[in-house]
């Protein structure tokens, strides 16, 4: 705890559990005043009470909700230093079973949610002449994928393109835009979403030998939100335990 975000005002979206909650906790530990947003009211209020944050009920796929969340922060604290748009869904669905409505729902939360958050945060940040806009991307989409994630992979690859465009457009306003690309992170949702066998196989496939923790991802967000990252914009940090590295499945075998 080194006060790396002392007195900074942060809004973390999708933070009632998992990675977003870990980001909110980590930011609080480093001195930030945190407002969390979620569309699940009971879990969101419980997380906020536990963390010592304020809670706003909002669905980030809706622009009005994004604006209302930012307005809450401005009314409460007068400024907004960092916004983390982490809300995302990853329904497992083969492309041949995906309907246009299924596709639109994933895009509305994962990708339009990032646009909504950026547009809403831009208003105060441009006036301030400073701000950090941060997104949770993924290694799935920008680098790799697996069956059942066509819409999800497209949404996360889209986030990386948006990061570059927004970083360029906002650079003259003193605003930086970056993202984190988690690998396989052991959140409650992943434990529900994946079998024990999948998780064990994944541990073998990850060079560091374990799935990541939400806090591993939160530490990367902390860097990007801190003064240490003041010259970093338009990029992403991969937090995957080396998962992207192997050329093949036999990477643990040494030559005879
Ligand atoms: N867990 C992983 O292995 C992993 C890997 C790569 C990327 N990610 C990304 O990290 C993010 C968080 O993942 P997680 O595993 O912690 O998921 P999670 O489901 O545990 O948490 C997501 C949170 O976002 C909230 N949320 C969802 N849609 C929302 C909306 N429209 N408006 C407001 N809140 C909403 C949920 O209620 C929940 O609290 C997602 O964007 C996910 O795609 C996760």
């Amino acid at each position: 705890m080194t006060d790396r975000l002392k007195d900074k005002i942060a809004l973390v979206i999708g933070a009632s559990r998992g990675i977003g909650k870990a980001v909110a906790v980590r930011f609080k530990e480093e001195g930030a005043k945190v407002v969390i947003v979620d569309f699940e009211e009971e879990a969101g209020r419980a997380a906020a009470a536990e963390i010592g944050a304020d809670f706003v009920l909002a669905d980030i796929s809706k622009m009005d909700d994004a604006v209302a969340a930012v307005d809450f922060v401005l009314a409460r604290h007068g400024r907004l230093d960092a916004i983390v748009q982490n809300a995302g869904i990853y329904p497992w669905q083969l492309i041949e079973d995906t309907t246009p409505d299924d596709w639109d729902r994933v895009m509305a939360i994962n990708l339009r949610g990032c646009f909504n958050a950026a547009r809403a945060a831009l208003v105060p940040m441009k006036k301030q002449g400073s701000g950090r806009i941060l997104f949770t991307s993924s290694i799935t989409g920008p680098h790799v994928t697996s069956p059942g994630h066509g819409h999800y992979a497209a949404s996360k690859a889209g986030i990386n393109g948006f990061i570059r465009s927004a970083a360029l457009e906002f650079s003259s306003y003193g605003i930086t835009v970056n993202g984190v690309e988690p690998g396989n992170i052991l959140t409650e949702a992943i434990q529900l979403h994946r079998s024990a066998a999948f998780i064990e196989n994944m541990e073998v496939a990850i060079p560091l030998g374990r799935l990541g923790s939400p806090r591993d991802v939160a530490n990367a967000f902390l860097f990007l939100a801190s003064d240490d990252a003041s010259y970093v914009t338009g990029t992403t940090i991969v937090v995957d335990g080396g998962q992207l590295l192997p050329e093949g499945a036999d990477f643990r075998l040494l030559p005879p």
Side-chain angles (χ1 to χ4, degrees):
M1 317 312 141
T2 49
D3 282 346
R4 288 166 72 186
L5 298 181
K6 190 165 170 27
D7 298 330
K8 301 277 190 206
I9 311 301
L11 182 61
V12 185
I13 300 152
S16 74
R17 63 184 191 195
I19 290 170
K21 185 177 175 192
V23 171
V25 167
R26 198 71 191 89
F27 281 19
K28 276 287 289 186
E29 287 172 354
E30 294 292 336
K33 296 185 173 69
V34 177
V35 177
I36 70 170
V37 166
D38 211 283
F39 70 173
E40 286 182 8
E41 184 164 15
E42 201 181 327
R45 288 201 188 284
E50 186 188 324
I51 298 165
D54 290 312
F55 174 69
V56 177
L57 178 66
D59 178 346
I60 199 59
S61 69
K62 298 178 179 159
M63 179 62 93
D64 288 352
D65 281 25
V67 171
V70 168
D71 284 349
F72 175 92
V73 174
L74 297 179
R76 181 96 164 83
H77 298 290
R79 57 184 290 115
L80 174 61
D81 297 304
I83 186 167
V84 178
Q85 188 340 54
N86 165 79
I89 56 170
Y90 35 90
W92 195 95
Q93 206 164 36
L94 294 173
I95 294 166
E96 65 193 52
D97 299 328
T98 301
T99 66
D101 283 349
D102 297 331
W103 176 271
D104 287 350
R105 179 168 153 71
V106 172
M107 291 298 157
I109 297 176
N110 296 13
L111 191 51
R112 179 162 16 106
C114 290
F115 163 72
N116 289 346
R119 277 295 304 269
L122 179 62
V123 175
M125 287 181 176
K126 188 175 170 184
K127 277 193 204 130
Q128 291 163 197
S130 66
R132 301 289 165 88
I133 299 178
L134 304 171
F135 301 120
T136 306
S137 178
S138 177
I139 61 168
T140 305
H143 304 282
V144 293
T145 195
S146 57
H149 281 141
H151 40 23
Y152 180 78
S155 73
K156 294 297 183 175
I159 290 175
N160 285 18
F162 182 65
I163 285 172
R164 289 189 281 272
S165 297
L168 191 61
E169 287 192 22
F170 303 169
S171 56
S172 61
Y173 307 147
I175 300 168
T176 63
V177 186
N178 293 292
V180 178
E181 293 178 34
N184 279 271
I185 309 302
L186 203 51
T187 59
E188 301 94 313
I190 284 289
Q191 279 163 301
L192 281 176
H193 195 70
R194 298 295 201 181
S195 66
F198 174 92
I199 291 172
E200 275 169 35
N201 285 342
M202 192 55 78
E203 283 168 354
V204 175
I206 296 172
L208 290 184
R210 64 172 177 89
L211 275 72
S213 68
R215 195 173 173 91
D216 289 326
V217 181
N219 283 329
F221 275 113
L222 171 61
F223 165 70
L224 291 171
S226 76
D227 291 343
D228 294 338
S230 57
Y231 199 58
V232 178
T233 196
T235 195
T236 51
I237 298 177
V238 173
V239 180
D240 75 340
Q243 190 179 340
L244 291 178
L245 296 175
E247 286 189 3
D250 59 354
F251 70 92
R252 291 184 200 281
L253 296 180
L254 298 175

